[in-house]
Amino acid sequence: MNQDIYVVIEHLRNQVSDISFVMLAAAHALTKETNGSVVGLLLGENNQDLVKNLAADRVIYIDHPALAEFTSDAYINTLENLINDNQPRVALFGNTSIGAEIASVLSARLDLPLISSCINFDSNAGELLYISQICGGKIMIEGGFLETTTLATMIPGGYKPEQGQSKEAPEITIVTAPELKDLRVTLAQYIEPEVEDVDISREPILISVGRGIQNEDNIELAEELAELLGGVVCASRPIVDQGWLPTSRMVGKSGKTVKAKLYLAMGISGAPEHIEGITDCKTIIAINTDPTAPIFDVANYGAEIDVLDLVEVLIEEIEEVKGE
Amino acid sequence: MSYYTIKTVLVLFTLFIAGIIFFKRIYDYLIVNLRRGQPSNVTGQWGERIKLFIVYVLAQFRLFRYRKPGLAHFFIFWGFLILSLTILFAIVEGIAAFSDPDYIVPVIGSIGPLALLQDILAVIVIIAVLYDLYVRLAEDPERYTGSHKREGVRVLIYILLIMITLLVMNGIRINLRVDPNAGWRPISSVVGRLFVGMEETTQIIVEESAYWVHLLIVLIFLIELPQGKHFHVVTSAFAVFLRDLEPRGGLHSAPEFNGDVGVSKVEQFRWRQMLDFYTCTECGRCQDYCPAYASELPLSPKLLMMDLRDHLKERGEALTKESTNTSTHQSILEKELVGDVITYQTLWACTTCYACDQECPLLIDHISPIVDMRRHLVMEGRVDAELQDALANLARYGNSFGKSARARARWARKIKPKIKDARSETVQYLWFVGDYASFSSTLTDVTKLTANIFRKIGLDFGILYDGENQSGNDVRRVGEEGLFEMLVENNMAVLSKCNYETIVTTDPHTYNTLKNEYPTNGNGRPPVLHYTELLDELITSNHLSFNKKLNYKVTYHDPCYLGRYNDVYEAPRRVIEATGCQLVEMPRHGDRTFCCGAGGGRIWMEDNPDVQERPAENRIREAAALPDVSTFVVTCPKDLVMFKDAVKTTGLEEKIVVKDIIELVGEALELIDSEITE
Amino acid sequence: MNIVVLVKLVPDLVEELSIDASGIKLDDSWLRLIINEFDDHAIEQAILLKEQSDAQVTIIAPDIEGVDDVLFTASAKGADRLIKLTGIDEGEINNHALGRAVANEIKDLQPDLLLTGVQANDDLDGPVGPLLAEFLGLPYVGYISGVKVDNNKVVARKEYPGGLIAEMEVTLPAALGIQAAEQPPRYVAVSKVRQTMKTATIEEKSVSELDPSGSLSISKMYQPEVGERATMIDGDEEEITAQLIELFQELGVM
């Protein structure tokens, strides 16, 4: 077993996802303890250019037509050999649609321990420690790494993506792909989400609605408010699941990560999947009747009041102020 | 052969034919189908039944809720009953015609005062019918929307003709000097004078023609009777007499057919329910007071009865003729009662407020068929998402809010000293708090105030803390009988271990089910009081008196489950009066109260976005129209939530404020803030 | 077609969670265990597939408090066979061990399709679905929100963030991690479940040997410190509105 930290880079449609940078940042923290290198693992077809701002000591790149788009079997078969042959100290995966499944299968196939939902790593007297979050973020678990190659999946929140980015491209080692045939999983096609009227990830002012809005009709009020403030309406998953707003407006793990200057969370409780999407927002104001709602733990300001009681008064007052 | 012999033969013949058709129709339409229905227990308590008959049939009591139409119907009813004797005489006299053309029924046919009564009644009936025709044709009130209006007008004209021909016959007989009671028939005499100029033979021809018109119209009316709304003429007496005497607030347990709970085929209704479908007179009074109908949801209790009746007849016919098996019969038999005949939206629109049953002159029960069909929908899993969530939460946490049971008494956390735990300490009053009062943020302050007032009055009370489950009243009315049973089991398990004298609650729904549906414990059910009843008792026995007299004008909204279901109208009013407030009644008050729209599980269902005016908004506007009234007093937690919301959505915040009665009590007691622990 | 659904019961997050005296386990005195929401979707998806074609649905779950109700409810929805795995010590189970134990039981069933929730809120050593798939040698795709069976393969709609969907073709037999069924889990009346309890049977299979390898070292379990909580704005609608407008102005939004 070497002391390197492997990071399985995730990319989709030629874009490296934020979680990859978070993992690279985590990997650097880990190598401080292990004194190994941070090695990025990039699988794809003609995707070499994606290494350009990865903050890795080096990147192993594997090119193969079957790796052009992510499919579980192809990725797993490729990584299987890489990990088995090299035996890194730790291999990091994202706790995502890509990383979560391949990490688990590899753990079973290679009989290696797997720690999931890691948010942070630490060390204590030479022992590597993981800190994971379970039960919707309500419970934290800490423990030590076993003395063997260990796989871990990560969630964002402990490290900033910026810490995993670099201005210089790392050196690339090209490794031949294994024979990838008779794959049991193949990609038939992508189905695009509805045409985006608005890209909420680029909007500076967001009025976000959750279950507290109660009724599809009340979203009109949020629209009015958004218009007055020059912003755009977005929502947590339950609202989109009901069909009250299109998927393009969904904020969170299954939706978009937003980086607004002002994020007004109205009637949103703050489930971890939602919080994942808003940690980069500058100012978060939360309106919720439940004082124990987790949203108040990440918000900068909060008011314990019913959205529906507040929003009409707010609209009126803003109109008055603007009228002056 | 003389005309009179022919007359006898024809009378007998037409009687015979009409009789056969009449009875056959009753058998085919009614009896055959009632026999397919499920058993009903409607015997016993004969004294009560006779009383009902006298009040609702003989005195036509409910009819007078609409004063003028009620008066008209009263006279048409009694007129008809008494004048039917005349018709009987006419038939007998017709039969006797072959031997004596001027035959008059002996004894009864010659009582003078009876003749006078008949004359007067005939006129009154004519006036009543003319008034009714005016209402139907000129006013055409909303309540007849969907009813068979032409049939209504046609029958009124029949009655008019029957009366007119009667007077003509009487009149001409007086002219011909064959009536010994001529002196007792002033009206008939006047009518007779119209013909006095004619020759005798002409008059006789007119008389005989009138006779035949009279007889034939009666017989036509008779044979048409079983097919439409006038069947109530036959069924109403039975309907009232064989009334279900279970308490209003107690539903029958769910019927089960091969493991399927609820009614999915019309023959699965109890025959007594079916009798109601036939008895509907299409008067629409229920429709006038239905909150669902008022908010333009697809529910009218009247149309529901009519649809069930038509389906029952159609299906009954098809079932009887099953052997012929035509495709029409097949398609009729394939029609689903729930879904095709009665739509889901119709069934889910009902708030079970009882306004329809209360208004109906023939005491028809519209609610139990709705609940029985809902029971089937629930078994099929055809429940909308929001309702599903509420039910799942109730099953898991014992409350519809989806909060942990341990959070139930959080409202009481800061009250010192701690409120007694009725599960472990003996109390006089066991306060069954209820879901909304415990969990809804709109209610927290009112619930705390109630606790503090109970304490100030010196009541020995306790609550069940997290041992309390939702009482299940509306769960039952939504049709989830299994879940209701589960909630009852859970509550009874806790209650049976408690030591208390009386249960008190602020929630009328809780009150209703605890009082009328929960299992008895061998000694009957423990007494249950609504907090207004308790306050009233305490005021009357001088255990509670007020320092301050409040001076404002208020109006009071009777909760459906307290008023209509359980007859508690006066206690809350006495309490309001005791605080010094001046009570101004809304037009729809007492047993005519207009439902807030939350009952029957509606508060757990998605709002229909097309609704222009919700019931609570309609009601608040009614209150706001009262001059100088600034306060809308409620005595139900759901009313508080619904009406506070309605005040906002109607923009009437400046005009009227919603307060729980306990807030008035608090003010009158001059409960200062420091006494109300935060 | 033979469909098997693996169901887990997980802590109900509505209840307050606390750590027990050992410091590394959840205190089970107030713990309520409920069906993993994603497994509920997996059951629904299985029943939907059964309604569309001729399939047999088997539900398998570890024996833990509350499992009977979960299994009977699944049966009331239309599941054909119910299996409960006994002999698993609730406290010591990790997903690797569970996966191995279930794999042992299921391999005789020869499932064509294995469905389970894509994740559970108490997963620490990875979700159980892909582990189980690998122990059975089945291909696995997760985050599935739509399933169509087509002869000897299944077309599964895999969800990516932002609403993007990837249609993956997977050869049968296969395992899928369900994110959402094609329709929300249906409602089952309490009476129906109670009736099923009288007619359906739960088969009990005892786990002969539990291989716990894969378990992790846990040194501490705790509730996160509420970092810096939001500055709360007090008052009624008007007061809060006034303060919010000030804030907006400060932020340059107004």
Side-chain angles (χ1 to χ4, degrees):
Chain A
M1 180 174 75
N2 65 45
Q3 292 302 308
D4 291 338
I5 309 295
Y6 279 17
V7 173
V8 177
I9 304 294
E10 292 191 9
H11 61 96
L12 193 59
R13 308 305 228 9
N14 283 320
Q15 270 224 313
V16 174
S17 61
D18 270 355
I19 193 69
S20 310
F21 296 113
V22 168
M23 289 193 283
L24 287 169
H28 277 286
L30 282 168
T31 50
K32 280 206 181 59
E33 206 36 57
T34 71
N35 290 319
S37 325
V38 172
V39 182
L41 302 181
L42 182 64
L43 280 58
E45 191 192 30
N46 295 326
N47 284 124
Q48 262 158 296
D49 55 305
L50 293 179
V51 310
K52 62 177 181 292
N53 58 349
L54 299 178
D57 295 322
R58 62 189 166 87
V59 170
I60 298 178
Y61 173 61
I62 306 184
D63 193 293
H64 192 289
L67 298 172
E69 303 293 336
F70 171 73
T71 54
S72 49
D73 253 13
Y75 263 57
I76 292 168
N77 293 352
T78 309
L79 290 168
E80 181 185 354
N81 295 329
L82 261 180
I83 294 177
N84 212 19
D85 296 342
N86 295 304
Q87 301 274 320
R89 182 69 183 87
V90 178
L92 296 177
F93 301 75
N95 192 15
T96 64
S97 313
I98 290 177
E101 62 203 43
I102 56 183
S104 284
V105 174
L106 284 168
S107 163
R109 192 173 290 187
L110 302 174
D111 199 18
L112 297 174
L114 168 62
I115 313 171
S116 52
S117 299
C118 299
I119 188 169
N120 245 315
F121 298 108
D122 204 348
S123 62
N124 186 5
E127 192 195 7
L128 283 181
L129 301 175
Y130 68 86
I131 296 125
S132 282
Q133 207 181 58
I134 62 167
C135 291
K138 291 190 171 189
I139 301 287
M140 309 293 286
I141 299 189
E142 224 177 80
F145 277 70
L146 299 174
E147 285 301 319
T148 170
T149 300
T150 303
L151 310 179
T153 67
M154 286 196 72
I155 58 176
Y159 301 92
K160 292 226 171 291
E162 294 84 69
Q163 298 168 292
Q165 290 167 344
S166 102
K167 296 206 179 22
E168 293 166 20
E171 72 173 81
I172 305 181
T173 315
I174 300 187
V175 170
T176 343
E179 234 189 306
L180 294 171
K181 60 178 177 116
D182 294 332
L183 294 170
R184 301 170 301 178
V185 181
T186 48
L187 173 68
Q189 60 168 332
Y190 283 114
I191 299 177
E192 303 294 333
E194 297 122 31
V195 171
E196 268 180 25
D197 45 347
V198 155
D199 183 359
I200 54 173
S201 62
R202 291 186 200 285
E203 290 288 329
I205 299 173
L206 290 173
I207 312 296
S208 192
V209 296
R211 280 212 164 100
I213 204 80
Q214 284 188 31
N215 228 310
E216 191 171 1
D217 289 345
N218 295 327
I219 296 186
E220 255 172 52
L221 294 166
E223 306 265 4
E224 257 187 77
L225 184 58
E227 210 180 320
L228 282 171
L229 295 173
V232 149
V233 172
C234 59
S236 60
R237 186 167 185 148
I239 301 296
V240 174
D241 278 349
Q242 299 255 55
W244 295 353
L245 280 174
T247 28
S248 56
R249 304 294 183 110
M250 184 159 63
V251 175
K253 180 173 172 168
S254 331
K256 298 241 168 115
T257 304
V258 295
K259 309 170 178 9
K261 188 164 72 167
L262 168 63
Y263 188 83
L264 185 57
M266 308 209 295
I268 294 179
S269 59
E273 292 77 31
H274 185 77
I275 303 288
E276 257 189 61
I278 66 175
T279 46
D280 287 335
C281 292
K282 192 141 178 297
T283 308
I284 301 174
I285 305 180
I287 313 289
N288 196 305
T289 49
D290 182 2
T292 65
I295 189 82
F296 289 120
D297 297 335
V298 294
N300 304 90
Y301 299 94
E304 196 188 316
I305 186 173
D306 191 328
V307 173
L308 299 177
D309 285 341
L310 177 67
V311 73
E312 278 171 322
V313 179
L314 188 53
I315 290 174
E316 255 180 62
E317 280 307 306
I318 296 179
E319 281 175 344
E320 254 196 64
V321 170
K322 286 197 131 191
E324 289 164 8
Chain B
M1 188 133 50
S2 81
Y3 161 73
Y4 292 104
T5 324
I6 299 174
K7 179 175 174 181
T8 305
V9 171
L10 279 178
V11 168
L12 282 171
F13 182 69
T14 48
L15 260 181
F16 181 66
I17 301 293
I20 291 194
I21 298 176
F22 178 64
F23 286 109
K24 179 155 182 11
R25 281 187 174 171
I26 293 185
Y27 182 77
D28 284 342
Y29 292 162
L30 182 68
I31 309 294
V32 165
N33 289 322
L34 287 187
R35 285 168 99 191
R36 288 201 178 102
Q38 307 306 310
S40 305
N41 183 8
V42 287
T43 50
Q45 292 176 270
W46 300 111
E48 181 67 29
R49 295 184 183 284
I50 291 174
K51 208 175 86 179
L52 283 175
F53 183 80
I54 293 174
V55 170
Y56 293 104
V57 178
L58 299 186
Q60 299 270 289
F61 188 66
R62 281 260 173 99
L63 264 305
F64 291 99
R65 291 169 74 96
Y66 281 60
R67 209 162 306 145
K68 282 190 280 193
L71 197 59
H73 188 277
F74 180 84
F75 282 114
I76 294 179
F77 173 76
W78 278 107
F80 225 87
L81 265 191
I82 293 176
L83 291 171
S84 59
L85 276 179
T86 336
I87 298 173
L88 196 60
F89 298 168
I91 293 174
V92 172
E93 285 157 14
I95 295 172
F98 75 95
S99 77
D100 177 4
D102 298 318
Y103 181 76
I104 289 179
V105 173
V107 185
I108 305 177
S110 6
I111 299 180
L114 184 59
L116 176 62
L117 182 61
Q118 289 169 345
D119 242 29
I120 296 175
L121 278 177
V123 171
I124 295 182
V125 169
I126 290 176
I127 295 174
V129 166
L130 288 174
Y131 169 74
D132 278 349
L133 279 170
Y134 166 75
V135 169
R136 279 186 178 267
L137 296 172
E139 285 180 13
D140 191 17
E142 171 64 37
R143 67 179 181 275
Y144 292 137
T145 308
S147 308
H148 291 96
K149 296 189 198 181
R150 270 180 301 179
E151 186 189 328
V153 170
R154 195 172 69 233
V155 169
L156 284 170
I157 294 181
Y158 287 170
I159 300 175
L160 195 60
L161 288 174
I162 292 173
M163 294 297 119
I164 291 176
T165 51
L166 177 68
L167 290 173
V168 165
M169 284 193 290
N170 286 355
I172 294 181
R173 283 194 172 187
I174 292 173
N175 290 350
L176 299 177
R177 301 183 204 295
V178 293
D179 184 358
N181 292 317
W184 292 94
R185 297 190 207 269
I187 318 285
S188 304
S189 310
V190 168
V191 171
R193 267 193 226 121
L194 291 174
F195 302 96
V196 108
M198 297 181 196
E199 283 202 21
E200 215 181 87
T201 27
T202 327
Q203 288 195 51
I204 291 177
I205 292 172
V206 172
E207 190 210 336
E208 288 301 319
S209 312
Y211 178 85
W212 282 107
V213 171
H214 186 93
L215 182 67
L216 289 172
I217 291 186
V218 166
L219 294 178
I220 289 173
F221 181 34
L222 198 69
I223 58 180
E224 276 186 6
L225 207 62
Q227 287 180 290
K229 67 195 203 71
H230 287 90
F231 205 5
H232 78 272
V233 167
V234 169
T235 64
S236 57
F238 296 102
V240 172
F241 195 69
L242 297 177
R243 187 167 195 219
D244 192 330
L245 290 176
E246 291 297 304
R248 259 169 264 151
L251 286 174
H252 281 248
S253 51
E256 220 181 283
F257 304 97
N258 287 331
D260 279 326
V261 174
V263 166
S264 59
K265 295 194 181 52
V266 75
E267 55 267 24
Q268 291 172 343
F269 282 117
R270 285 171 277 123
W271 67 256
R272 183 57 193 81
Q273 288 172 303
M274 292 178 175
L275 186 58
D276 274 348
F277 309 160
Y278 286 105
T279 307
C280 175
T281 71
E282 302 183 17
C283 72
R285 292 164 180 224
C286 54
Q287 193 171 291
D288 268 358
Y289 284 87
C290 175
Y293 189 78
S295 57
E296 292 175 21
L297 289 175
L299 168 63
S300 150
K302 173 191 82 182
L303 295 175
L304 179 75
M305 289 295 120
M306 288 165 63
D307 288 340
L308 287 171
R309 174 194 68 199
D310 292 342
H311 174 66
L312 180 56
K313 289 203 301 200
E314 186 185 60
R315 188 177 163 84
E317 232 179 78
L319 282 173
T320 312
K321 293 195 178 136
E322 201 161 7
S323 51
T324 60
N325 209 4
T326 65
S327 63
T328 336
H329 285 149
Q330 268 312 104
S331 59
I332 291 173
L333 290 175
E334 276 164 21
K335 254 196 228 172
E336 293 275 340
L337 168 66
V338 179
D340 293 331
V341 180
I342 311 289
T343 65
Y344 307 135
Q345 294 94 316
T346 301
L347 288 174
W348 290 121
C350 180
T351 67
T352 70
C353 74
Y354 207 77
C356 50
D357 288 14
Q358 182 70 45
E359 216 47 55
C360 181
L362 292 171
L363 315 179
I364 289 174
D365 181 5
H366 309 79
I367 295 178
S368 74
I370 291 177
V371 173
D372 278 337
M373 287 186 278
R374 282 181 173 185
R375 285 166 167 166
H376 169 70
L377 280 180
V378 165
M379 274 308 258
E380 296 283 292
R382 282 210 245 267
V383 168
D384 84 24
E386 225 182 276
L387 178 56
Q388 193 170 322
D389 280 344
L391 294 175
N393 285 334
L394 280 159
R396 198 178 266 174
Y397 306 108
N399 67 73
S400 59
F401 289 78
K403 303 243 172 91
S404 164
R406 291 162 70 188
R408 191 174 270 274
R410 208 169 261 170
W411 63 269
R413 229 178 354 158
K414 295 206 182 124
I415 296 187
K416 304 264 179 291
K418 186 167 169 268
I419 298 179
K420 273 183 163 185
D421 188 335
R423 294 171 294 179
S424 48
E425 303 172 68
T426 306
V427 295
Q428 189 184 1
Y429 296 102
L430 191 151
W431 179 15
F432 199 106
V433 186
D435 268 17
Y436 269 78
S438 306
F439 290 106
S440 165
S441 52
T442 315
L443 264 317
T444 321
D445 286 339
V446 166
T447 312
K448 284 197 267 201
L449 180 60
T450 309
N452 283 301
I453 290 178
F454 282 175
R455 196 155 259 170
K456 176 126 197 203
I457 301 177
L459 295 181
D460 174 22
F461 71 100
I463 61 177
L464 294 170
Y465 285 89
D466 51 273
E468 190 184 296
N469 270 300
Q470 215 234 38
S471 64
N473 187 70
D474 284 45
V475 170
R476 191 170 210 205
R477 276 128 189 95
V478 153
E480 237 292 18
E481 189 78 356
L483 179 56
F484 171 70
E485 283 168 8
M486 197 175 97
L487 292 168
V488 170
E489 276 164 32
N490 293 346
N491 279 324
M492 288 307 290
V494 173
L495 285 172
S496 59
K497 300 202 188 86
C498 296
N499 218 342
Y500 59 92
E501 233 177 69
T502 312
I503 299 181
V504 74
T505 182
T506 62
D507 187 330
H509 294 234
T510 306
Y511 175 76
N512 180 69
T513 192
L514 286 177
K515 189 165 187 181
N516 299 309
E517 297 180 316
Y518 267 55
T520 62
N521 58 6
N523 301 331
R525 299 192 178 95
V528 185
L529 284 180
H530 187 244
Y531 70 135
T532 53
E533 292 181 295
L534 176 60
L535 290 168
D536 181 45
E537 260 178 39
L538 294 167
I539 293 173
T540 330
S541 59
N542 284 319
H543 279 101
L544 170 60
S545 56
F546 301 117
N547 316 335
K548 191 170 164 197
K549 288 292 175 194
L550 307 176
N551 257 329
Y552 23 98
K553 283 196 177 175
V554 308
T555 188
Y556 172 62
H557 171 84
D558 292 276
C560 305
Y561 274 92
L562 188 64
R564 277 192 288 260
Y565 272 101
N566 290 290
D567 293 319
V568 178
Y569 298 108
E570 294 310 314
R573 286 175 164 80
R574 286 192 290 261
V575 174
I576 291 175
E577 249 178 276
T579 64
C581 287
Q582 192 192 342
L583 178 60
V584 179
E585 299 281 10
M586 287 178 277
R588 294 175 297 186
H589 66 276
D591 69 12
R592 272 223 167 129
T593 190
F594 191 72
C595 178
C596 73
R602 293 274 323 150
I603 203 168
W604 299 323
M605 298 182 205
E606 276 162 32
D607 242 345
N608 188 325
D610 300 324
V611 165
Q612 295 299 326
E613 186 187 53
R614 298 194 210 103
E617 294 170 337
N618 180 315
R619 185 58 156 169
I620 281 291
R621 291 195 173 108
E622 183 182 0
L626 297 170
D628 297 328
V629 166
S630 58
T631 310
F632 185 93
V633 180
V634 296
T635 51
C636 167
K638 289 172 279 276
D639 278 340
L640 195 69
V641 168
M642 298 298 284
F643 289 121
K644 279 198 164 191
D645 192 64
V647 165
K648 271 185 232 144
T649 55
T650 51
L652 287 165
E653 293 101 318
E654 304 298 315
K655 184 79 182 39
I656 197 158
V657 71
V658 179
K659 286 198 180 170
D660 189 288
I661 204 174
I662 206 76
E663 296 181 72
L664 296 182
V665 171
E667 275 176 64
L669 280 176
E670 293 192 292
L671 218 57
I672 43 186
D673 279 339
S674 62
E675 284 182 279
I676 303 175
T677 6
E678 208 289 297
Chain C
M1 188 170 66
N2 205 346
I3 305 178
V4 174
V5 183
L6 169 62
V7 170
K8 267 176 59 165
L9 273 76
V10 297
D12 186 354
L13 303 183
V14 163
E15 305 290 347
E16 270 169 40
L17 300 173
S18 54
I19 321 291
D20 77 0
S22 72
I24 58 169
K25 265 169 47 164
L26 287 175
D27 185 343
D28 57 17
S29 40
W30 292 111
L31 197 62
R32 181 201 295 270
L33 293 172
I34 57 174
I35 186 173
N36 173 20
E37 181 195 338
F38 298 107
D39 289 340
D40 205 10
H41 279 261
I43 294 176
E44 180 64 29
Q45 186 64 62
I47 304 291
L48 286 171
L49 288 169
K50 177 182 169 166
E51 287 172 349
Q52 292 158 15
S53 63
D54 194 20
Q56 280 279 301
V57 175
T58 304
I59 315 286
I60 184 163
D63 184 10
I64 204 170
E65 191 187 321
V67 73
D68 283 9
D69 197 61
V70 166
L71 289 172
F72 284 126
T73 305
S75 173
K77 292 183 184 181
D80 301 289
R81 222 177 135 186
L82 310 170
I83 301 177
K84 188 160 74 167
L85 281 182
T86 57
I88 298 180
D89 184 351
E90 304 163 12
E92 303 309 318
I93 195 73
N94 62 59
N95 282 339
H96 282 72
L98 178 60
R100 272 185 216 104
V102 173
N104 236 344
E105 278 314 316
I106 292 184
K107 60 179 193 281
D108 298 328
L109 287 176
Q110 303 251 345
D112 297 298
L113 193 57
L114 174 71
L115 299 181
T116 188
V118 63
Q119 64 196 31
N121 69 27
D122 64 350
D123 289 337
L124 183 60
D125 60 329
V128 71
L131 296 172
L132 175 56
E134 184 59 20
F135 292 138
L136 290 170
L138 302 178
Y140 175 88
V141 187
Y143 294 85
I144 303 302
S145 60
V147 182
K148 286 274 167 302
V149 177
D150 185 12
N151 278 335
N152 60 343
K153 69 177 190 296
V154 65
V155 178
R157 291 164 67 105
K158 182 186 173 72
E159 277 193 6
Y160 282 115
L164 177 68
I165 306 255
E167 254 187 21
M168 298 286 191
E169 281 180 7
V170 193
T171 58
L172 289 177
L176 298 176
I178 303 294
Q179 166 90 23
E182 276 155 10
Q183 73 189 33
R186 63 197 61 192
Y187 186 74
V188 187
V190 171
S191 331
K192 213 163 186 193
V193 177
R194 285 187 165 181
Q195 267 168 21
T196 322
M197 285 180 178
K198 300 187 199 137
T199 53
T201 40
I202 298 179
E203 299 167 44
E204 283 186 31
K205 302 263 167 123
S206 163
V207 172
S208 38
E209 238 180 75
L210 196 60
D211 179 356
S213 61
S215 63
L216 304 170
S217 132
I218 300 179
S219 54
K220 216 160 67 149
M221 195 185 270
Y222 55 96
Q223 280 156 315
E225 268 158 45
V226 173
E228 232 182 79
R229 221 169 165 264
T231 311
M232 297 303 282
I233 306 172
D234 293 317
D236 64 9
E237 301 88 82
E238 269 98 34
E239 290 159 354
I240 295 178
T241 297
Q243 297 234 32
L244 284 176
I245 291 184
E246 250 186 66
L247 253 181
F248 293 158
Q249 287 165 331
E250 270 172 47
L251 289 170
V253 166
M254 267 179 75

